[in-house]
Amino acid sequence: MRLGELAEKVSGKLIGDDAEFRGRFTTLGGAREGDVVIRHWIDDKGVKIASEKGVSAIITQYPRGEASELHEVPLILVDRIEVANAFALSWSVKNFAPSSRRVIVTGTNGKSTTTHMITHILRESGRSAYTNTDSRSEFNTLIDPVVSQQISESGSPEFLIIEVSEVQGWLGRVMRDHAYMMASAVEPEMAVITNVAMDHIGLVDSLDDVFREVSGAVRALKEGVAVLNADDPKVREMADINPHARAVFYGSGTEVRYDEGIYCRDELLVSPHELPLRGEHFIQNTLAAVAACRGLRLSLDDIRDGVRTYRPLKRRFSVLMEKPLVIDDFAHNPDGIRSTVRSALKTLKGRLWVVNAIRGSRGEEINLLNAGALAESLKGAGAELIVTASSDLVDRQNTVLENERRAFLGVLEDNGIEYKYIETLRESLKTVLDAASPSDTVLLLGAQGMDPASKVLKEIMGNS
């Protein structure tokens, strides 16, 4: 493919020589000679690095400084970088994994665990499978060319299991139709939808907005199966939006359901004590993965073995300590908080302690919603609550702003929820460990602000 043709494919403008492209789509850091680099922005230094690596071209939306005037590497200037990423994904699938069977997973909560579990079940059954979500990186990077690069290096596996972010944005602007664009690029035979809930406040304003973005994965199916969560009203609505897709449900009242164990039709697939986790949201993710694998025609024995041997991703209702029982969960939006607290209360040992990290630099609205969900979940539970800004460990992009802190704590106070506010995560964890008895349960909640908790706990226990 020549660069001029590539520029047309991504609705861009070529600046520089119309050379031949014979490499891969990739990042600047991963680039080799002949590759095309995709970056939101590029400056003079980036162009020089690309030139030294011998890349064919750089696709960018925002050239900075004199980047567009250096002429050391051809540039393709685009209005929407996501168009370039979608083309790179499509091109990589067709050139490096053309015979693969492809599955898209999206939704507000649980998509990483569902993606990871489907992939694990496939691999345990002897199939080769690539996923952009794994236990080491846990990334969801269809917004950049990492996935395209990895597919080009994947060795043409039998399955591609691709997690797609339900909502993506850049500089406060929603990248409209992200799930639709990326699913269309993959051309999947199956789209798995976990749920529809508010999370990316500022990029979307309502559940209807989220529905539109998430349902893009179903609308993109040219044919095949939409695996839908029967327990989510918004997801159920997706059964009728694409006449080319067949809807298959999981959850209450369906063939794949939880009833003191994971059932498929009338057969007990996995008993409760065989599940690696029993949290409410983990069970929903397991049902989604089982339904997807049944749709891919895997045997019940293969699915059973895969679920039994599955090990969850980090921070998915993960047990960090036994005495007291410390559970760590990446609950970062209202639905996730409600589900995680409900699960903890069901398995409660002793008294419940909650350490919640406020979401930093995400605005007031998501923190108002998160605090409301926390207040609702803890009301009447007799729990001890510690709230932290994790200011000792978060970076600038995740710093809790004063208006966010006031908004979060104000909702707790308005709902009569008693709490202790501790600025740093280290002191918050030390406080709860000093106060909790061995028979108590400690629940750690939050996104980036709680990510370092497991490491901090080890340091605290090592020094005690």
Side-chain angles (χ1 to χ4, degrees):
M1 182 192 305
R2 299 195 68 82
L3 295 180
E5 181 185 356
L6 173 58
E8 291 181 9
K9 297 284 189 184
V10 299
S11 302
K13 176 186 177 182
L14 175 63
I15 299 176
D17 295 335
D18 186 11
E20 191 81 14
F21 161 50
R22 298 181 180 276
R24 314 160 302 163
F25 291 98
T26 184
T27 62
L28 183 59
R32 303 186 304 222
E33 185 175 355
D35 289 346
V36 167
V37 168
I38 303 178
R39 281 181 64 91
H40 275 101
W41 61 270
I42 195 82
D43 58 13
D44 309 13
K45 182 179 179 181
V47 172
K48 289 178 180 178
I49 292 172
S51 177
E52 291 169 359
K53 292 189 172 191
V55 304
S56 293
I58 301 166
I59 301 176
T60 187
Q61 189 168 341
Y62 299 106
R64 296 180 178 175
E66 298 179 355
S68 58
E69 301 171 9
L70 292 179
H71 303 299
E72 295 185 25
V73 178
L75 296 185
I76 297 176
L77 304 183
V78 295
D79 291 327
R80 297 183 65 191
I81 198 70
E82 58 266 38
V83 173
N85 282 309
F87 176 78
L89 182 60
S90 174
W91 186 87
S92 299
V93 169
K94 289 175 182 175
N95 283 274
F96 296 103
S99 61
S100 62
R101 300 179 65 188
R102 301 184 282 277
V103 177
I104 288 287
V105 182
T106 193
T108 306
N109 301 99
K111 51 188 177 291
S112 293
T113 297
T114 301
T115 303
H116 192 232
M117 186 182 291
I118 293 170
T119 306
H120 174 79
I121 295 170
L122 288 167
R123 289 174 178 168
E124 282 293 296
S125 71
R127 279 90 166 176
S128 60
Y130 162 81
T131 183
N132 62 323
T133 300
D134 60 55
S135 58
R136 289 174 292 106
S137 59
E138 298 182 47
F139 60 82
N140 176 27
T141 51
L142 279 185
I143 201 60
D144 63 35
V146 172
V147 173
S148 298
Q149 175 190 320
Q150 291 189 338
I151 289 174
S152 72
E153 299 168 345
S154 65
S156 193
E158 186 178 353
F159 290 90
L160 300 180
I161 313 299
I162 307 295
E163 176 185 352
V164 176
S165 177
E166 80 284 13
V167 176
Q168 277 285 8
W170 174 249
L171 297 177
R173 177 183 65 85
V174 67
M175 289 182 171
R176 201 165 179 82
D177 291 323
H178 177 76
Y180 176 81
M181 289 176 65
M182 297 305 170
S184 297
V186 172
E187 295 187 14
E189 66 178 83
M190 177 181 290
V192 184
I193 311 297
T194 58
N195 74 326
V196 172
M198 291 298 291
D199 186 2
H200 300 273
I201 308 298
L203 294 177
V204 291
D205 298 320
S206 67
L207 271 182
D208 288 338
D209 286 347
V210 183
F211 172 87
R212 185 185 182 286
E213 293 298 318
V214 173
S215 64
V218 177
R219 289 186 282 113
L221 289 169
K222 293 181 178 178
E223 58 181 359
V225 179
V227 180
L228 306 175
N229 182 357
D231 295 319
D232 188 303
K234 284 291 185 183
V235 177
R236 287 201 306 268
E237 289 180 29
M238 297 181 195
D240 301 319
I241 66 173
N242 186 344
H244 306 292
R246 178 170 61 90
V248 172
F249 291 97
Y250 64 89
S252 304
T254 73
E255 291 186 350
V256 178
R257 64 193 185 279
Y258 183 82
D259 184 11
E260 294 306 313
I262 304 293
Y263 278 81
C264 187
R265 294 186 177 176
D266 293 325
E267 182 172 344
L268 177 62
L269 204 62
V270 183
S271 61
H273 74 272
E274 294 175 309
L275 288 170
L277 290 176
R278 301 185 202 178
E280 180 180 310
H281 47 334
F282 179 80
I283 289 173
Q284 281 290 323
N285 301 157
T286 304
L287 295 176
V290 169
C293 288
R294 284 297 290 160
L296 295 173
R297 299 291 187 265
L298 269 68
S299 70
L300 289 181
D301 286 340
D302 283 342
I303 297 172
R304 179 183 291 110
D305 291 342
V307 174
R308 285 172 172 171
T309 58
Y310 178 72
R311 292 297 174 263
L313 294 165
K314 294 177 182 177
R315 304 211 58 217
R316 267 64 175 187
F317 214 74
S318 306
V319 175
L320 302 184
M321 289 176 57
E322 293 289 347
K323 293 182 179 181
L325 178 64
V326 179
I327 299 171
D328 185 23
D329 195 273
F330 188 71
H332 61 290
N333 57 39
D335 276 21
I337 290 169
R338 291 188 188 96
S339 179
T340 302
V341 174
R342 279 198 302 264
S343 297
L345 289 172
K346 286 179 182 177
T347 58
L348 186 62
K349 292 166 52 179
R351 192 173 194 176
L352 178 63
W353 298 76
V354 177
V355 182
N356 188 98
I358 301 172
R359 293 200 73 176
S361 297
R362 297 302 191 278
E364 290 184 25
E365 190 167 354
I366 186 62
N367 280 297
L368 290 170
L369 292 172
N370 282 352
L374 186 62
E376 172 191 328
S377 302
L378 293 181
K379 190 160 287 187
E384 297 286 343
L385 173 62
I386 295 174
V387 180
T388 181
S390 303
S391 59
D392 52 333
L393 295 169
V394 295
D395 57 24
R396 183 178 178 183
Q397 291 182 325
N398 295 292
T399 298
V400 176
L401 305 178
E402 179 59 24
N403 63 318
E404 294 171 328
R405 184 183 70 83
R406 285 199 308 266
F408 193 97
L409 299 181
V411 171
L412 298 180
E413 292 164 5
D414 289 345
N415 282 272
I417 301 296
E418 295 185 6
Y419 67 89
K420 178 182 287 187
Y421 177 77
I422 300 177
E423 181 71 19
T424 65
L425 179 61
R426 192 178 302 276
E427 187 61 29
S428 298
L429 296 176
K430 188 175 185 306
T431 298
V432 77
L433 288 181
D434 288 343
S437 70
S439 61
D440 288 347
T441 296
V442 177
L443 184 58
L444 309 181
L445 301 175
Q448 290 77 12
M450 195 58 69
D451 279 347
S454 59
K455 181 179 179 181
V456 173
L457 281 175
K458 288 179 182 178
E459 293 174 357
I460 292 173
M461 297 308 295
N463 295 330
S464 60

